[in-house]
């Protein structure tokens, strides 16, 4: 009986030692469309931010900004100048960024990533109303719909680099070139 007990402990030790490491979520930050309990530094769904202005005050390289399902309304251009990820928690069909006729995102870091959201109803008087990528950054598995720019890249403009990967780009408009996506001096679609 004692031998059986020792064998069970050894098997348990082997299982624990071979289990994958658990992510502590130390660099994760959270955002919800509505949250009465919002509190910096937004490290849980219970204390999640409700807008990008709140998050921009605390985000750093390596952070993952999780967006709960729902609709987010834009109050200003969201400038991402850090190597971080903005990611929809559900699918791109359930997490929406509605520009409300204003600007969307501007990626200014080669490791900046927007993934798994729908970006809609953005407008820009020049290029790239939903996402303007400057010298790097990636938009992956997103839907970009019903965005408008005047000069080019109705939804996305890649300026000297950047990547658009696995995105659905539909119903965007411009008076210039690239109704959905335009590249100025490079980029990968």
């Amino acid at each position: 009986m004692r031998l059986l007990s020792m064998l069970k402990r050894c098997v348990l030790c082997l299982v624990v030692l071979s289990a994958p490491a658990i992510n502590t979520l130390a660099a994760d930050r959270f955002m919800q469309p509505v949250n009465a309990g919002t509190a910096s530094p937004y490290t849980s769904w219970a204390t999640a931010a409700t807008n990008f202005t709140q998050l921009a005050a605390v985000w750093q390289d390596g952070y993952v900004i999780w967006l709960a399902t729902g609709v987010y309304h834009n109050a200003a251009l969201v400038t991402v100048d850090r190597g971080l990820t903005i990611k929809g928690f559900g699918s791109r069909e359930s997490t929406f960024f509605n520009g409300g006729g204003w600007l969307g995102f501007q990626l200014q870091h080669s490791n900046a990533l927007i993934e798994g959201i729908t970006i809609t109803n953005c407008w820009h008087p020049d290029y790239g109303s939903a996402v303007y990528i400057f010298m790097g950054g990636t938009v992956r598995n997103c839907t970009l719909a019903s965005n408008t720019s005047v000069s080019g890249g109705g939804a996305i403009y890649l300026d000297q680099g950047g990547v658009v990967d696995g995105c659905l780009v539909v119903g965007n408009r411009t008076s210039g070139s690239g109704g959905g996506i335009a590249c100025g001096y490079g980029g990968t679609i």
Side-chain angles (χ1 to χ4, degrees):
M1 193 59 124
R2 182 170 159 89
L3 180 60
L4 182 60
S5 177
M6 287 175 56
L7 284 173
K8 285 181 182 177
R9 285 188 197 143
C10 286
V11 168
L12 179 61
C13 286
L14 287 174
V15 169
V16 169
L17 291 175
S18 65
I22 302 205
N23 183 358
T24 62
L25 306 176
D28 288 358
R29 297 295 182 261
F30 299 86
M31 188 167 155
Q32 298 187 61
V34 177
N35 183 15
T38 207
S40 182
Y42 319 109
T43 55
S44 71
W45 290 116
T47 62
T50 57
N51 63 66
F52 283 102
T53 303
Q54 293 169 328
L55 283 168
V58 299
W59 66 27
Q60 299 177 20
D61 286 328
Y63 277 17
V64 176
I65 309 300
W66 289 98
L67 306 181
T69 58
V71 179
Y72 297 86
H73 297 279
N74 186 27
L77 173 68
V78 179
T79 300
V80 182
D81 59 357
R82 310 253 191 242
L84 58 85
T85 298
I86 296 172
K87 186 170 186 169
F89 187 73
S91 67
R92 65 182 176 190
E93 292 84 18
S94 62
T95 306
F96 294 87
F97 178 88
N98 183 331
W102 294 98
L103 305 171
F105 295 89
Q106 187 173 76
L107 304 184
Q108 298 179 353
H109 194 285
S110 61
N111 292 323
L113 169 65
I114 299 174
E115 182 173 22
I117 66 174
T118 292
I119 305 171
T120 188
N121 198 24
C122 296
W123 179 86
H124 193 279
D126 206 3
Y127 294 94
S129 65
V131 183
Y132 185 96
I133 302 174
F134 181 68
M135 297 182 74
T138 302
V139 179
R140 180 183 303 140
N141 297 326
C142 290
T143 297
L144 297 111
S146 301
N147 299 291
T148 304
S149 73
V150 176
S151 299
I156 299 176
Y157 188 78
L158 295 98
D159 186 356
Q160 302 177 52
V163 176
V164 178
D165 179 32
C167 293
L168 175 61
V169 181
V170 60
N172 301 284
R173 296 174 296 288
T174 186
S175 300
S177 62
I181 302 172
C183 292
Y185 310 107
T188 304
I189 301 172

